[in-house]
Each structure stands twice: as structure tokens, then as C-alpha cells.
Amino acid sequence: MTPILQTVFPPDMMTKRALPGIAPVQGGILHVDDAYSGQMDQRRRLLTTRRDKVLRLLPEGQGAALEVLHWALTQLPALGYTVTPDTVLCPDGHLEPIDFADPLATLGRVCQADFCILQAGSQNEHVMTGAVLCFPASWTLSEKIGRSLTGIHTPVMEYDDNIARRVQRLFDGVQVGRPVWRFNQLWYVDAQLHQPRSETDKRVVPERAEAANFLRTERQIMMRLPESRAVVFIIHTYIFARENVPE
């Protein structure tokens, strides 16, 4: 089976930054790493067999979804893809037709990252209007679509009013051409990439810390689209076996 775990730990993700702990993006936004083939196999399988679980798009998010697909297609050639007007030849040899009527599905089948679209809502908070989320880390897309940032983070104990205001200011302040990023890190018992969990369920934490042998870390990028003005939350998931995590 093609590996789904990365082995090379990104140097810029070795220092923990507190929430929201953001910094300007240095270098490219989209990445291809050593687990691309294995992770893409899972993404394509999920989009075929569990599409309703990993992809949601509200009517108001359609324009932004198409915009982010057009943007991504301009970025891919630098990462080893071959892009024509109709197809994308991926680094693993997979040839994907470009379906502009189904932009998030096309993104999910060619890009290693997940994409969430958030747009300004009527209550002065950004609302999730669309997402392709194949690799959720203990949350469920069906519970978050159409909800504001506060609603999305309802079960997060640390997400108090102060952090909510800071995060909303962050989304308001993201500028076109100046994406920002942060990352998180959490130990898991298994290496599953698709880890949905209802907000009413408690995350299972092992009694012994050493029983959690896989470090899951997400590179989270916030980028504003110039036409729709939506903020795209891009999540690239890394999972490392304990022996590959730097001390």
C-alpha cells in the first residue's frame, strides 16, 4: 500500500505558536510532499464513495469555489503538474478532467490540501459556505457548513469571546496577495487521515501518552480571493510516526 505518512518534518513547523499564532506565508501556498500519492489515493476514494461527507457547497459559495479552482490551476505547474485547458496531470500520474461545474471536487482530486471557503455574513462574522474536507481532524463538515466562525468552534473550550474576536479580526484583516498561516499539533492513537467526529462526541484520549504514536499537524493558510472577497482556509495535513518527529 502506498504510504500515507510523511517522513520529512517541515522545519518551519517545529516551533509551536499559540492560537491564533499567525505569520506571513513564505514561499508557495500549495505543497506536494513525500506522501502525495498515498494521500491522494484516499482523497479520490473518499470523493467517490463518501462525497456527501467530504464536500459541501452552498449556492452563495459557488462563485468563490470556482475562483479558487482557477487560482489553483495557475499554481500547479510549479509543483510538477501539467495543466491543459481541460485536464490536470498530477505528480502521481493521475489524469483528472477539469470540471468547472464541480470546482471543489476537482480541487479535492488534484490537491493534497483541503479547502474551506468562508465569506462575510450578516452577523459580522465569516460563514463557511463551502468546503472539500477529506481529512477532518475530529470535526464533521455537515455540522459546520453554513455556520459562523463562533458556531464552527462551539466545542473548543479554549475558543472564548476574546479569541473569537481575535480570529474574526484576523479574517477581516487578510489582504489579497498577503496570505497568512499557522499550524497545530496533536497526538493521535492511529494514523487515519479521515478522522470525523461529531461535536457532541468526546475525543478519545489514551490513558498513557506513549500510546499515541502519531503526530498530526496541519499547515493552515488563510488567503483572500480578489473577486469574491472570500477567505479560503487551506489545510495541508501531515502525519508523522513518533520516530520521525524531531526531539
Side-chain angles (χ1 to χ4, degrees), residues 136-199:
S138 299
W139 59 289
T140 301
L141 179 57
S142 62
E143 294 179 340
K144 309 301 183 181
I145 191 71
R147 295 173 70 173
S148 67
L149 285 170
T150 297
I152 290 169
H153 291 91
T154 293
V156 181
M157 293 183 61
E158 297 86 355
Y159 200 88
D160 57 17
D161 289 344
N162 179 49
I163 288 183
R165 287 191 295 269
R166 290 169 61 194
V167 172
Q168 183 56 53
R169 285 198 299 269
L170 168 62
F171 274 75
D172 289 339
V174 175
Q175 300 178 35
V176 174
R178 299 183 63 181
V180 296
W181 78 288
R182 68 175 295 272
F183 67 90
N184 61 15
Q185 294 182 347
L186 199 63
W187 286 95
Y188 276 75
V189 174
D190 62 65
Q192 290 296 320
L193 286 158
H194 183 68
Q195 294 254 13
R197 178 171 59 89
S198 172
E199 60 188 32

Side-chain angles (χ1 to χ4, degrees), residues 65-135:
L66 185 59
E67 186 179 359
V68 73
L69 173 59
H70 279 291
W71 167 82
L73 293 175
T74 69
Q75 307 298 303
L76 297 182
L79 298 172
Y81 296 75
T82 300
V83 179
T84 74
D86 302 310
T87 63
V88 177
L89 179 62
C90 301
D92 61 352
H94 172 82
L95 184 66
E96 181 68 28
I98 301 173
D99 187 350
F100 291 108
D102 198 7
L104 292 184
T106 300
L107 278 171
R109 291 179 179 274
V110 303
C111 293
Q112 201 172 348
D114 286 316
F115 296 80
C116 301
I117 297 169
L118 295 108
Q119 296 175 271
S122 59
Q123 302 300 317
N124 297 319
E125 275 195 288
H126 278 68
V127 173
M128 185 184 293
T129 59
V132 54
L133 183 74
C134 294
F135 300 156

Side-chain angles (χ1 to χ4, degrees), residues 25-103:
V25 172
Q26 302 294 329
I29 293 175
L30 301 179
H31 289 180
V32 171
D33 61 42
D34 56 335
Y36 178 87
S37 295
Q39 292 196 0
M40 292 308 302
D41 284 347
Q42 289 206 11
R43 297 181 66 81
R44 293 167 190 146
R45 188 179 311 115
L46 286 163
L47 282 161
T48 298
T49 63
R50 306 192 68 187
R51 178 188 167 104
D52 62 322
K53 305 295 184 183
V54 301
L55 192 153
R56 294 292 179 95
L57 182 60
L58 301 181
E60 54 266 41
Q62 183 70 38
L66 185 59
E67 186 179 359
V68 73
L69 173 59
H70 279 291
W71 167 82
L73 293 175
T74 69
Q75 307 298 303
L76 297 182
L79 298 172
Y81 296 75
T82 300
V83 179
T84 74
D86 302 310
T87 63
V88 177
L89 179 62
C90 301
D92 61 352
H94 172 82
L95 184 66
E96 181 68 28
I98 301 173
D99 187 350
F100 291 108
D102 198 7

